[in-house]
Amino acid sequence: MLIWLTGLSGSGKTTLSNILVKKFKKKNINLISVDGDVIRELFGNDLNHSLDHRKIQIDRIKKISKFLYSQDQNIIVSALYSNNKILSNNRKIFKKYFEIYLRAPISVLLKRDIKNLYKPALKNKIKNVVGVDIHWNEPKHSDLIIDQSKKIHPNVIANKVFKKLINDKNKFKF
């Protein structure tokens, strides 16, 4: 199975992914995390954050995921950049696919701004920030949308996602 988490920077993708990996491990289900930031680092941070480089990054993530999927692994991807073509193509490539969109308004992201992106981008001090000067393509057909404007603890969200996924055991490779 491939679980694809998408949302703007600071929406909680990595946090949710890390919690889910631990929850599945407790059920003896291996879930490999493919995190966009980690993949970027594995390739020596050779890409900037321009739109063209973001597309290369997503292509890398998809190739790694496709390889792991072909090895009968369960994967959870945390990826920022998306568009409906990418997400639609995911459904064709990965037969057992579950997409989660962590929707978060800019007001929430400004408060969370761990990477210190939004304030400088809104003041035109930095460029190439998705949701500011790079258009955010909101997913149209996610299997689950999590509204991050509600102050729900990440563990509560993870429990909801976990229950939804674990109830459909046919999607997982044991």
Side-chain angles (χ1 to χ4, degrees), residues 49-170:
H49 292 87
S50 69
L51 185 56
D52 287 340
H53 280 204
R54 287 179 185 281
K55 290 176 182 176
I56 293 168
Q57 173 71 356
I58 280 293
D59 189 52
R60 287 176 176 175
I61 290 169
K62 285 180 77 166
K63 284 178 180 176
I64 291 166
S65 298
K66 191 173 180 183
F67 169 74
L68 292 170
Y69 190 87
S70 74
Q71 303 297 311
D72 289 329
Q73 299 299 312
N74 295 304
I75 307 124
I76 186 163
V77 171
S78 304
L80 185 154
Y81 182 73
S82 73
N83 65 40
N84 287 312
K85 184 178 178 183
I86 290 168
L87 299 176
S88 175
N89 188 255
N90 283 353
R91 291 186 188 281
K92 292 175 187 167
I93 295 171
F94 307 105
K95 300 302 176 204
K96 296 180 178 185
Y97 177 81
F98 192 84
E99 184 181 297
I100 302 169
Y101 171 32
L102 299 172
R103 179 185 287 149
I106 194 73
S107 59
V108 169
L109 300 174
L110 279 165
K111 289 177 186 171
R112 293 182 175 186
D113 204 4
I114 297 167
K115 296 178 184 176
N116 194 30
L117 296 173
Y118 293 110
K119 289 175 188 169
L122 289 168
K123 293 177 182 176
N124 292 318
K125 291 184 178 179
I126 62 171
K127 299 224 176 282
N128 296 319
V129 176
V130 177
V132 180
D133 64 325
I134 294 179
H135 177 71
W136 169 243
N137 298 291
E138 188 169 65
K140 302 287 185 216
H141 305 289
S142 298
D143 297 295
L144 182 62
I145 298 171
I146 308 288
D147 182 356
Q148 294 291 65
S149 66
K150 299 177 180 175
K151 293 183 179 180
I152 303 171
H153 194 278
N155 285 324
V156 173
I157 294 169
N159 286 338
K160 177 182 178 180
V161 171
F162 181 78
K163 286 177 187 172
K164 187 163 184 64
L165 291 170
I166 206 72
N167 285 334
D168 192 355
K169 291 183 181 183
N170 293 331

Side-chain angles (χ1 to χ4, degrees), residues 19-36:
I19 295 169
L20 287 171
V21 166
K22 289 176 186 172
K23 287 182 130 341
F24 278 94
K25 192 171 198 161
K26 285 181 183 177
K27 289 283 188 182
N28 292 317
I29 300 172
N30 192 35
L31 189 60
I32 299 170
S33 174
V34 177
D35 186 282

